Amino acid sequence: MNPRLTLASSVAGAVIVALDGTVLTLAQPTLQRELGASFAQVQWTSTGYLIAVAGLLVFAGRLGDRYGHHRVFGIGMLGFGAASAGIALAPGVGWVVGLRVVQGVFGALSQPATLGMLRAAYPPDRLRTPIAVRTAAIGVAAAAGPVIGGALVAGPGWRAVFLLNVVPALVFGALALAVRPAPAASPARLDLPGALLLAVTLACLVHALVAMPGWGWTAATATVTGAAFIRHERRTASPLLPPDVIGSAAVGSALGMLVAASAALSGALFVGTFLLQGTLALDPFRSALVSLPLALLMVLAAPSCAVLLRRAGARRTTVAAMTVLALGILALSRASATPALCAAFALVGAGFGTVMVAATHVVVREAAVEAPEGRAGGESPSARRPEGLSTVGLSTPAGAPRRRLRSKGLSAGVAGGLQQTAMNLGPVLGVAAATALMGSGGGPELPLSILAGVALAGAALGRKLPGRPDDAIDDHGQSKDRTRVPARR
């Protein structure tokens, strides 16, 4: 699959999943009424999906590294489309919940692959624009989702919401499976015990945060299995998370920023809904219009971020963006007039859109391409770096064993899985924190101020990210973010 078609598939996969989650929220009240479901059952149409996705994202990324990102993406899209069609025909809410879990499994397969395919198809110095296009498309889906979902629910009904993504999912899934990757695959073995421990840990963590009744048992289980996972990863010869995940300060900081930014955004939107429709007494339609600048600025921030990354570097870009996000949330807590609310939402959208592109760029660019399509994408090791340098930019003898060089690289699929895990855990944490703070009896000012503090705390993590490319030509091997050029002889 050529780079342009790869980008189209990556964008389509991300948009399909984003749109599905956005329009479902509007369909849930009608779904509950027509199927005679309880509030708890309707909640599980979202919770079941989140648990399945959170538990499988990293392992799905490793599957893409081993068997090919296009292949795993194709299977994920076909399964997602089939599950969506099944939900549209479901006779009862039990079927809806079960098929949403199935949908989450296939969504977990496809999402890391959308980033893994980009990493394999584009060289590191050309990743900014594809990631920006992907982020902008997600912003468009977030803006269009409520409008499309409202029109479908008011017209054909809630079942049409799930039919919306069936055709594009099947089309792009079939196109991805038509690609024939090179026969060589990543030599890394699948760490099935580690995958199981991590899946249980993340699933229990999400359940403890979302489904509050019985949260103590699932929180305790997450603690035990999390400790067992860390112990297992330290001892196994083929860990699920390559050593670079633990050892790279840039990757860890970028993932932390994604969690903080998505938590602050989701929590602020949760509180903002009650602020607009409760305190300010706006109707849902006017509330949507007031918050529209958020989606608009998120779309505009994505291509602008590609320019900022090239000129200012990831460190300055992300720190400034997280600060803008925090200022926007603070402004939202104090705004009451429509112009002030629109300006606050615009700041939030600009800050979050920029952080999402910049931090994702760092995580994905740090990844070594071990999947088969890495060579097909025109990114062979010999073409990208001088002889004698490993995939992580550390000087090694030219005759060093090839297996040792490759084991040091963070694989593209795992990088995509970690990025998606961060983007799924952040909203769960943010909404849980906002719910607890709103339940304390105060107004929206306190939770929004604390969420702004979360964004500022995330800004502090940006100090570990790479600076401008011109500032670190000789960084003594500390950065894997740029290709090194041998000295002239």
Side-chain angles (χ1 to χ4, degrees), residues 85-472:
I87 295 172
L89 302 174
V93 69
W95 282 93
V96 174
V97 173
L99 287 170
R100 280 287 287 171
V101 174
V102 174
Q103 199 179 41
V105 171
F106 286 106
L109 286 176
S110 64
Q111 288 308 286
T114 62
L115 290 171
M117 291 190 302
L118 290 182
R119 180 63 182 91
Y122 291 88
D125 58 349
R126 293 177 56 201
L127 270 174
R128 303 181 191 94
T129 300
I131 291 176
V133 170
R134 181 180 179 274
T135 303
I138 294 174
V140 171
V147 178
I148 296 174
L152 290 175
V153 172
W158 68 267
R159 296 179 186 272
V161 167
F162 293 97
L163 292 175
L164 178 66
N165 54 38
V166 171
V167 173
L170 296 181
V171 169
F172 281 97
L175 286 175
L177 289 180
V179 175
R180 291 188 177 182
S186 168
R189 298 191 320 179
L190 294 178
D191 180 17
L192 295 179
L196 178 61
L197 288 171
L198 182 61
V200 173
T201 300
L202 293 175
C204 289
L205 177 61
V206 170
H207 182 271
L209 293 170
V210 176
M212 297 307 291
W215 68 271
W217 289 103
T218 50
T221 302
T223 302
V224 173
T225 55
F229 172 74
I230 294 173
R231 184 173 183 271
H232 169 79
E233 290 293 285
R234 289 177 175 175
R235 295 190 174 194
T236 185
S238 301
L240 177 66
L241 301 180
D244 286 35
V245 177
I246 301 173
S248 173
V251 170
S253 297
L255 291 173
M257 295 186 85
L258 287 172
V259 172
S262 57
L265 173 72
S266 298
L269 290 179
F270 180 82
V271 178
T273 301
F274 288 92
L275 171 65
L276 294 176
Q277 299 185 29
T279 306
L280 302 180
L282 300 181
D283 59 72
F285 179 73
R286 190 178 175 189
S287 298
L289 290 179
V290 169
S291 62
L292 192 59
L294 186 150
L296 178 62
L297 265 294
M298 182 177 168
V299 173
L300 295 177
S304 301
C305 182
V307 178
L308 290 174
L309 283 172
R310 184 167 57 251
R311 296 183 177 180
R315 185 187 308 135
R316 296 177 182 176
T317 300
T318 52
V319 170
M322 289 294 280
T323 304
V324 170
L325 175 61
L327 290 175
I329 296 174
L330 281 176
L332 184 62
S333 69
R334 291 161 172 78
S336 57
T338 298
L341 289 168
C342 291
F345 278 116
L347 288 174
V348 172
F352 180 77
T354 303
V355 171
M356 187 174 174
V357 174
T360 300
H361 175 262
V362 171
V363 174
V364 177
R365 183 170 180 173
E366 294 274 318
V369 181
E370 294 182 344
E373 52 270 47
R375 298 185 187 91
E379 196 178 356
S380 66
S382 60
R384 284 180 47 223
R385 61 182 184 275
E387 183 178 1
L389 292 180
S390 72
T391 56
V392 295
L394 300 176
S395 298
T396 54
R402 183 177 183 84
R403 180 184 300 270
R404 184 175 182 181
L405 292 178
R406 297 185 69 180
S407 67
K408 289 182 178 291
L410 170 64
S411 58
V414 172
L418 287 170
Q419 190 269 354
Q420 291 292 310
T421 300
M423 294 300 295
N424 278 271
L425 286 180
V428 174
L429 291 169
V431 172
T435 302
L437 292 168
M438 290 287 287
S440 63
E445 292 81 6
L446 176 62
L448 288 174
S449 298
I450 292 178
L451 290 167
V454 171
L456 287 177
L461 297 173
R463 293 178 297 176
K464 298 291 186 180
L465 299 187
R468 290 190 305 172
D470 294 342
D471 293 340

Side-chain angles (χ1 to χ4, degrees), residues 67-98:
Y67 298 110
H69 298 298
H70 288 101
R71 183 178 300 167
V72 173
F73 173 80
I75 294 172
M77 280 287 96
L78 291 178
F80 194 91
S84 298
I87 295 172
L89 302 174
V93 69
W95 282 93
V96 174
V97 173

